[in-house]
Structures are given as C-alpha cells and as structure tokens.
Amino acid sequence: MQDCIFCKMVNGDIPCVKVYENESILCFLDIAPAAKGHCLVIPKTHAENILEISPELAGEMHEVISIVAKGMLKGLGADGFNVNMNNFKAAGQLVMHAHWHMIPRFHGDGLQLWPQDKYESEEQMQAFSQKIRSGI
Ligand code: 5GP
Ligand code: ZN
C-alpha cells in the first residue's frame, strides 16, 4: 500500500533491521524499543489490523512468533517475552499496518506494560462480560 511505512520496508524502499522472514511474514527490530531486542512481526501483504488477518495467516503469524520467541529465549538469554498488538488508534495503534510487538523480558527488569484497574463488584464484572457477549 502506498504511503505505508511497513509496506515500504517489505518492498525494500526504506531500511529495517531484519530478524526473520519467510514468504508471507517479516520480523524486524522496532526502532524505539520498550526493551532492546523488541521486534515487530508483520504480514508482507498490507492489512490494517487483526480483523483483516485470515485464520490461515494468523496460524503462520503464530508460527513465526514462536520461532522469534525461541531466538529471544536462547539467543538473547531472555527469561520471557510479551506479545502485544495495538488495534485501532484508541488502543495506541500508530502504524496502520497490522503488527505484533514482541518484547524480550528478564527477571526483575521492572518493565510495566500497562497499569491495571479493578471492578467495583461481581455484578459489574458480569455486566461487562454480558455486553461483550452481546456483540459477538
Ligand atoms: P504501534 O503504536 O502502531 O502499535 O507501534 C508502531 C511501532 O512501530 C512503534 O513501536 C514504533 O517505534 C515502530 N516504528 C515506527 N516507525 C518505525 C520505523 O521507521 N522503523 C522501525 N523499525 N520501527 C518503527
Ligand atoms: Zn502496509
């Protein structure tokens, strides 16, 4: 897609530091890492968000995420990793080409990816579940 920074990386029009690729998926380093080694995994064909990813491609993404995760654990010596995806602007998506963030984690690294809230009651919790189910 024209004017998409990640499509330009796929096409080689702008550089990126590659970690892994196959025919349909590219993994490269995020330029502003939450932790060094922070990767982005993207489909090579433009899709805006997870809702535009087919189940087949999702399966391939999962495979590549597992491959890169092994690299983080064995190659970087990470103790764990986060997989995160921002969908739509309200969720913090800045680049409108679907991408999975992979962040290597180490015991005691102190990185907190999001603050947590709490429910006021069991009823409120049930109501939220019901609202989500009503839209499925
Ligand atoms: P989002 O907020 O859309 O989930 O994440 C977009 C990510 O893309 C950000 O973490 C940002 O640092 C990364 N990013 C944006 N522009 C570039 C770039 O030109 N090169 C690389 N390697 N990463 C980028
Ligand atoms: Zn794109």
Side-chain angles (χ1 to χ4, degrees):
M1 193 200 198
Q2 244 187 340
D3 291 336
C4 171
I5 188 169
F6 287 176
C7 282
K8 285 181 181 162
M9 284 180 196
V10 170
N11 296 333
D13 295 333
I14 61 170
C16 65
V17 178
K18 291 183 184 180
V19 173
Y20 181 85
E21 71 180 318
N22 63 23
E23 208 175 301
S24 48
I25 294 163
L26 172 65
C27 173
F28 57 95
L29 291 182
D30 192 308
I31 201 158
K36 291 188 177 67
H38 178 163
C39 290
L40 298 174
V41 184
I42 66 168
K44 288 188 172 176
T45 301
H46 186 85
E48 200 160 307
N49 56 51
I50 198 168
L51 300 181
E52 295 182 3
I53 302 285
S54 69
E56 292 73 27
L57 184 55
E60 290 183 55
M61 299 296 302
H62 189 123
E63 267 181 58
V64 170
I65 285 169
S66 296
I67 289 167
V68 174
K70 281 176 198 142
M72 288 184 173
L73 296 172
K74 283 172 85 176
L76 286 181
D79 301 307
F81 59 93
N82 292 105
V83 179
N84 175 43
M85 185 180 197
N86 300 326
N87 289 282
F88 298 96
K89 283 197 168 67
Q93 185 178 3
L94 297 175
V95 177
M96 293 298 149
H97 180 130
H99 53 280
W100 280 254
H101 293 261
M102 292 188 66
I103 302 166
R105 298 299 303 272
F106 297 85
H107 291 304
D109 64 17
L111 191 62
Q112 188 165 2
L113 296 182
W114 52 66
Q116 288 185 283
D117 195 5
K118 56 183 171 206
Y119 291 99
E120 282 158 23
S121 62
E122 169 72 22
E123 289 69 35
Q124 190 188 41
M125 217 169 160
Q126 292 290 350
F128 271 87
S129 170
Q130 169 52 30
K131 277 189 197 172
I132 295 169
R133 282 186 276 128
S134 75
I136 291 175

